[in-house]
Amino acid sequence: MDPSDLETYQVQLSQVELALTNDPSNTDLELLRTELQDLIELTKTAIAEAEAAASSSKAESSRKAVASTPAVTWKAGDECLAKYSDGSWYPARITFVGGSPENRVYSIVFKGYNTTEQVKLSELKALPQHHQYTAPSSNKRKLSKQEEEEREKKKKKNEKKLETRAAKAKEQNHKQATWQKFAKKSEKKGVHIAGVAGTSIFKTPDNPLGRVGVTGSGKGMTESASRGKHVFTLGEEEYQ
């Protein structure tokens, strides 16, 4: 029986019932209604039995396919799909196989993540044919509580580093501004400071005997005026 036949019988029944509302005493219509009702029930039963038989056949085929499929022996380095705590399957790589032969435990690392998870055999399955790994996108798996805490710690640590660098840069800028201010004041007073106004202390001195980086190198000692004893002349006391 086809489901379309059932629909046809139901439409015919509705038409007969409509006709009976206008002619309730028509025995032919009443007989036709009864026959259509019986036919509809038989059709429903036949369709249900056909669907049950098809479902049973499909289940049997699936069971035979599973029974004929050899058990997978996983080892370290194998690529697979692993079940995460959110119930979804993600590409992963087996890093270690432990446990007893009857109860294996597999350490795996999900692709795109560095955390190691431990799963059972039932939580592993082979990658589909021609599978190509794509980097995690916006719909990637949720991070575990431990991963969230680790990420938050790194975030706070980086923020502290940035604050420290900003404080050091601010202090350096302040020292530089103070030095420049001092150098400008000294220049106005006529005091020459090496390294200011384009003069570098590492400039090669004009004197061939001078040394680079040594202020005043190559120049002679500053001469000082000699001081002698005061000589009194005759009549100086009288003048005083």
Side-chain angles (χ1 to χ4, degrees):
M1 290 291 182
D2 193 280
S4 60
D5 295 335
L6 178 61
E7 293 178 0
T8 301
Y9 299 149
Q10 289 174 339
V11 171
Q12 291 176 352
L13 178 61
S14 63
Q15 292 174 347
V16 171
E17 290 177 343
L18 180 62
L20 280 172
T21 57
N22 296 327
D23 190 6
S25 60
N26 192 321
T27 56
D28 293 335
L29 289 176
E30 289 182 354
L31 180 61
L32 181 59
R33 180 177 64 178
T34 302
E35 291 178 352
L36 285 171
Q37 288 175 343
D38 293 340
L39 185 58
I40 289 172
E41 290 299 325
L42 290 173
T43 304
K44 287 182 177 179
T45 302
I47 292 175
E49 291 176 354
E51 289 179 350
S55 177
S56 177
S57 176
K58 185 177 180 180
E60 182 66 18
S61 300
S62 299
R63 186 184 64 80
K64 289 181 179 180
V66 171
S68 62
T69 303
V72 179
T73 302
W74 298 104
K75 61 183 183 299
D78 286 348
E79 304 288 336
C80 61
L81 286 177
K83 191 175 184 180
Y84 190 59
S85 57
D86 61 359
S88 300
W89 296 81
Y90 300 95
R93 180 173 57 85
I94 298 175
T95 58
F96 180 76
V97 179
S100 62
E102 296 79 15
N103 187 22
R104 289 293 187 191
V105 178
Y106 301 87
S107 298
I108 56 98
V109 175
F110 288 103
K111 291 293 186 68
Y113 300 87
N114 295 325
T115 55
T116 301
E117 304 283 344
Q118 289 189 342
V119 297
K120 300 178 181 179
L121 178 61
S122 60
E123 296 173 321
L124 295 177
K125 63 182 181 180
L127 290 169
Q129 290 184 351
H130 310 296
H131 172 77
Q132 291 183 350
Y133 169 70
T134 55
S137 57
S138 57
N139 60 346
K140 62 184 180 181
R141 69 172 177 83
K142 294 181 180 179
L143 297 176
S144 64
K145 184 178 180 181
Q146 182 180 0
E147 291 172 333
E148 288 283 0
E149 292 177 353
E150 188 67 23
R151 187 173 68 173
E152 191 65 24
K153 287 180 181 179
K154 290 182 179 179
K155 182 179 178 182
K156 290 181 179 179
K157 188 175 181 180
N158 291 334
E159 289 177 352
K160 189 173 182 181
K161 284 183 178 180
L162 291 175
E163 290 177 359
T164 303
R165 290 177 182 176
K168 288 183 178 180
K170 185 176 180 181
E171 182 181 359
Q172 183 65 24
N173 291 336
H174 177 69
K175 289 181 178 180
Q176 185 177 358
T178 303
W179 167 252
Q180 291 176 350
K181 185 176 180 181
F182 168 75
K184 288 181 179 180
K185 286 184 178 180
S186 300
E187 188 177 356
K188 288 181 180 179
K189 293 179 180 180
V191 179
H192 174 72
I193 301 177
V196 180
T199 303
S200 173
I201 62 173
F202 298 103
K203 178 183 177 181
T204 303
D206 297 331
N207 192 325
L209 300 178
R211 298 174 61 185
V212 176
V214 180
T215 304
S217 176
K219 297 181 180 179
M221 296 292 291
T222 303
E223 295 183 1
S224 58
S226 60
R227 300 180 62 182
K229 292 183 178 180
H230 180 70
V231 179
F232 291 92
T233 58
L234 185 61
E236 185 175 359
E237 294 180 355
E238 294 179 358
Y239 176 78
Q240 291 180 350

